């Protein structure tokens, strides 16, 4: 049987933690991260019990800023898994801590079976966006480590004028990974105007897309576009 696309109508997202080990120039939360509080465990458990009773969502996404920097993450995952309800427990992550095999082992043992990993271009570009030297190597090591496990991997790349010139070869690289779906998001500036000139012109995007589609067809991978007009 072939891969079945993710149906986000079956997922619920809980934002549980807002610390982060990157400082991305494209972060939608930006300075808000410093004012947001984590979801307390009693609030979290009540929400999950209510979700199970409602019976609508069979898959769970744990999100925030960077959940792998949350000291209590494994406890939260284990509780979700203990309910014996969610078919998928996904974490949204920059993937850096997945470079540590022991940490990755613990996450999967706790119940994570799906990873949504953000990576925004080749090494120099990605590290410029995250403002953390070496972050690309750690994220790619994490993606490589996931090959050893029977889990679903989805990658996420935000398209900007910074990575646009590099996207074609970079997507070819991701197509060689174990990712089943490769998501590309249109940059949302979170301000009235694109003051940093990061939004890619739609005509340029159409040209890029015509080059990407043959790459994905050849690789047999799924390209998912988000927030494009």
């Amino acid at each position: 049987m072939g891969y079945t696309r993710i149906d986000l109508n079956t997922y619920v997202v809980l934002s549980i933690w807002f610390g982060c080990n990157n400082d991305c120039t494209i972060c939608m939360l930006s300075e808000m991260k410093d004012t947001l509080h984590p979801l307390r465990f009693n609030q979290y458990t009540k929400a999950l019990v209510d979700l199970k009773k409602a019976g609508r969502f069979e898959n769970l996404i744990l999100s925030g800023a960077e959940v792998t920097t949350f000291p209590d993450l494994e406890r939260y995952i284990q509780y979700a898994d203990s309910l014996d309800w969610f078919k998928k427990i996904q974490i949204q992550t920059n993937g850096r801590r997945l470079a540590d095999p022991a940490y990755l082992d613990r996450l999967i043992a706790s119940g994570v079976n799906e990873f949504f990993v953000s990576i925004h271009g080749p090494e120099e570009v990605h590290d410029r966006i995250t403002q953390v030297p070496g972050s690309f190597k750690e994220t790619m090591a994490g993606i490589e480590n996931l090959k050893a496990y029977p889990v679903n991997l989805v990658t996420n790349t935000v398209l900007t004028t910074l990575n646009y010139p590099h996207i074609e070869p970079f997507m070819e690289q991701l197509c060689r990974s174990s990712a089943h779906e490769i998501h590309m998001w249109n940059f949302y500036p979170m301000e009235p105007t694109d003051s940093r000139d990061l939004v890619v012109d739609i005509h340029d995007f159409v040209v890029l897309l015509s080059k990407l589609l043959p790459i994905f067809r050849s690789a047999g991978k799924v390209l998912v576009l988000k927030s494009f007009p």
Side-chain angles (χ1 to χ4, degrees):
M1 180 181 292
Y3 175 72
T4 302
R5 280 277 312 278
I6 288 176
D7 179 6
L8 288 177
N9 290 316
T10 67
Y11 284 74
V12 63
V13 181
L14 289 185
S15 297
I16 61 174
W17 174 258
F18 299 97
C20 192
N21 52 0
N22 281 345
D23 187 22
C24 296
T25 58
I26 58 173
C27 181
M28 293 183 70
L29 293 177
S30 190
E31 290 83 8
M32 286 191 298
K33 294 195 298 291
D34 299 329
T35 65
L36 298 171
H37 300 287
L39 186 65
R40 295 194 303 271
F41 191 68
N42 65 320
Q43 297 172 312
Y44 172 78
T45 57
K46 183 181 185 304
L48 291 193
V49 169
D50 289 345
L51 286 166
K52 181 178 179 178
K53 288 179 180 176
R56 178 180 174 188
F57 299 104
E58 62 183 23
N59 301 305
L60 174 67
I61 296 173
L62 298 181
S63 184
E66 178 48 48
V67 294
T68 63
T69 63
F70 182 28
D72 223 10
L73 178 60
E74 291 166 54
R75 181 188 179 202
Y76 278 53
I77 296 167
Q78 288 165 1
Y79 182 80
D81 188 54
S82 73
L83 293 176
D84 197 28
W85 167 252
F86 297 107
K87 294 180 179 177
K88 294 288 186 183
I89 299 177
Q90 178 193 117
I91 63 167
Q92 295 186 340
T93 176
N94 61 37
R96 289 177 56 197
R97 291 206 64 196
L98 309 184
D100 177 354
Y103 179 73
L104 179 55
D105 269 339
R106 295 200 307 271
L107 287 184
I108 292 174
S110 296
V112 180
N113 55 12
E114 191 165 79
F115 292 80
F116 183 86
V117 179
S118 294
I119 186 159
H120 301 297
E123 183 170 359
E124 182 178 345
V125 175
H126 179 81
D127 287 4
R128 178 182 173 188
I129 290 171
T130 64
Q131 301 188 96
V132 177
S135 58
F136 174 84
K137 289 181 178 177
E138 288 182 334
T139 298
M140 289 304 294
I143 288 174
E144 182 67 22
N145 285 343
L146 286 169
K147 287 182 178 180
Y149 299 91
V151 298
N152 188 34
L153 168 63
V154 178
T155 65
N156 171 51
T157 301
V158 176
L159 181 66
T160 69
T161 52
L162 295 175
N163 59 15
Y164 176 84
H166 312 276
I167 285 295
E168 191 177 348
F170 182 62
M171 289 293 113
E172 288 181 327
Q173 181 179 2
L174 289 183
C175 280
R176 294 192 294 270
S177 75
S178 60
H180 289 107
E181 293 187 17
I182 296 171
H183 291 207
M184 183 183 295
W185 289 64
N186 191 30
F187 175 69
Y188 190 80
M190 297 293 286
E191 57 183 347
T193 60
D194 180 23
S195 63
R196 292 176 291 162
D197 193 29
L198 290 175
V199 177
V200 173
D201 184 274
I202 191 63
H203 298 95
D204 292 334
F205 170 68
V206 170
V207 172
L208 174 64
L209 186 59
S210 69
K211 298 176 181 178
L212 293 181
L213 290 178
I215 294 172
F216 280 83
R217 291 193 189 104
S218 176
K221 295 296 177 79
V222 175
L223 172 65
V224 178
L225 304 178
K226 298 283 190 68
S227 300
F228 287 92

